[in-house]
Amino acid sequence: MSEPLLEIKNLVTGFETESGLLKAVDGVSFTVPKGTCVGIVGESGCGKSVTAMSIVRLLPQPMGKILDGQILFKGRDLVQARETDMHEIRGQHIGVIFQEPMTALNPVHSIGRQIGESLMLHRGMNAREARDAAIQLLQRVRIPAPEQRVDEFPHQLSGGMRQRVVIAIALACHPELIIADEPTTALDVTVQAQILSLLKDLQAEMGSSSILITHDLGVIAQSCDSVVVMYAGRVVEKAPVRE
Ligand SMILES: Nc1ncnc2c1ncn2[C@@H]1O[C@H](COP(=O)(O)OP(=O)(O)OP(=O)(O)O)[C@@H](O)[C@H]1O
Ligand SMILES: [Mg+2]
């Protein structure tokens, strides 16, 4: 067993609602060993996305709060980390692919600018270098004619291409951990298969680890090393993917 990259211990995340405190995640623990892919499955509303948002501390504010537990990333507890440190972690160490590709992209900026943003911020690239790097990333996620696409806007792309752009943004700074929350749900089956195999290839290429959230056990079987099953805010099963 390789050493853990991410260790979640007894995570409790709640929302302040009008009718009181709702514990959306209630004592979740699991580990992501280095270089592996862990799948999270479970019915709608069981807390998969809230778990993912807790890891990168992007919970809906002001209602969402981590109430208890530890999220150890390379041994360091993200629950206790300062907000400024979280900026760096989100930008460079953990890449997130959110559930809805349309809302993840900004409609008024070109895709080149959106991919290049974190490279300028975290890698100190200038605008020209960031644009060149964006073109390379578009190529990497297999978007045809990247030199032209780089200056286009999200509405000019198909759903599958937009999702590839979201992946390119998440991968821009070569994160050690990629969290993909239903990265293919909005897409048709053929595009879905392409995006999943693309993610898998890129991960192998960069040696990163990942958490893949999905409803689809077929997807888990194909892409993951182990699987966590959640129900009503808790982990009810953990096993290697074969089992
Ligand atoms: N902003 C919010 N305010 C209050 N409750 C919320 C909020 N966001 C999520 N919840 C609640 O937290 C619980 C877990 O939601 P979550 O989004 O993690 O589900 P999920 O497992 O990702 O479901 P799906 O498969 O549909 O994406 C749900 O009961 C949901 O109603
Ligand atoms: Mg969800």
Side-chain angles (χ1 to χ4, degrees), residues 104-208:
L105 294 173
N106 188 330
V108 301
H109 293 314
S110 73
I111 59 171
R113 171 157 173 196
Q114 295 185 59
I115 298 171
E117 201 173 15
S118 69
L119 294 168
M120 288 166 69
L121 198 67
H122 298 294
R123 290 282 144 102
M125 290 186 184
N126 63 32
R128 148 147 266 155
E129 290 165 343
R131 188 175 181 279
D132 289 345
I135 292 172
Q136 272 177 22
L137 277 158
L138 288 175
Q139 209 155 26
R140 233 166 151 188
V141 296
R142 326 239 199 285
I143 288 187
E147 298 85 0
Q148 285 143 45
R149 292 293 184 182
V150 74
D151 297 318
E152 291 186 355
F153 292 82
H155 73 270
Q156 293 171 288
L157 307 181
S158 69
M161 280 192 207
R162 280 200 285 266
Q163 192 57 296
R164 285 164 201 259
V165 171
V166 173
I167 293 173
I169 292 172
L171 298 180
C173 288
H174 292 211
E176 290 135 282
L177 178 67
I178 299 163
I179 302 175
D181 189 354
E182 316 225 19
T184 58
T185 313
L187 307 171
D188 71 60
V189 181
T190 31
V191 182
Q192 206 171 352
Q194 286 170 13
I195 299 265
L196 286 169
S197 71
L198 170 70
L199 256 179
K200 211 172 158 183
D201 291 351
L202 292 171
Q203 240 166 280
E205 238 174 274
M206 304 191 312
S208 45

Side-chain angles (χ1 to χ4, degrees), residues 25-232:
V25 172
D26 196 3
V28 161
S29 304
F30 65 91
T31 300
V32 182
K34 258 187 197 151
T36 67
C37 176
V38 175
I40 305 181
V41 288
E43 64 173 34
S44 191
C46 70
K48 304 183 297 293
S49 296
V50 173
T51 301
M53 292 187 284
S54 300
I55 297 170
V56 284
R57 298 239 311 257
L58 288 176
L59 291 160
Q61 291 302 315
M63 313 82 78
K65 233 191 182 122
I66 297 175
L67 301 169
D68 199 7
Q70 289 181 308
I71 299 171
L72 301 173
F73 179 66
K74 297 198 285 186
R76 171 174 180 208
D77 189 3
L78 299 185
V79 176
Q80 308 297 340
R82 284 180 309 175
E83 191 46 45
T84 45
D85 295 336
M86 285 311 295
H87 278 287
E88 198 190 299
I89 288 188
R90 285 193 292 260
Q92 305 199 58
H93 302 282
I94 303 180
V96 193
I97 301 165
F98 281 113
Q99 205 161 351
E100 280 144 40
M102 208 40 206
T103 51
L105 294 173
N106 188 330
V108 301
H109 293 314
S110 73
I111 59 171
R113 171 157 173 196
Q114 295 185 59
I115 298 171
E117 201 173 15
S118 69
L119 294 168
M120 288 166 69
L121 198 67
H122 298 294
R123 290 282 144 102
M125 290 186 184
N126 63 32
R128 148 147 266 155
E129 290 165 343
R131 188 175 181 279
D132 289 345
I135 292 172
Q136 272 177 22
L137 277 158
L138 288 175
Q139 209 155 26
R140 233 166 151 188
V141 296
R142 326 239 199 285
I143 288 187
E147 298 85 0
Q148 285 143 45
R149 292 293 184 182
V150 74
D151 297 318
E152 291 186 355
F153 292 82
H155 73 270
Q156 293 171 288
L157 307 181
S158 69
M161 280 192 207
R162 280 200 285 266
Q163 192 57 296
R164 285 164 201 259
V165 171
V166 173
I167 293 173
I169 292 172
L171 298 180
C173 288
H174 292 211
E176 290 135 282
L177 178 67
I178 299 163
I179 302 175
D181 189 354
E182 316 225 19
T184 58
T185 313
L187 307 171
D188 71 60
V189 181
T190 31
V191 182
Q192 206 171 352
Q194 286 170 13
I195 299 265
L196 286 169
S197 71
L198 170 70
L199 256 179
K200 211 172 158 183
D201 291 351
L202 292 171
Q203 240 166 280
E205 238 174 274
M206 304 191 312
S208 45
S209 313
S210 60
I211 296 175
L212 178 63
I213 298 173
T214 172
H215 285 108
D216 191 332
L217 284 171
V219 166
I220 295 274
Q222 256 177 38
S223 310
C224 299
D225 301 294
S226 64
V227 55
V228 170
V229 183
M230 285 183 68
Y231 180 79

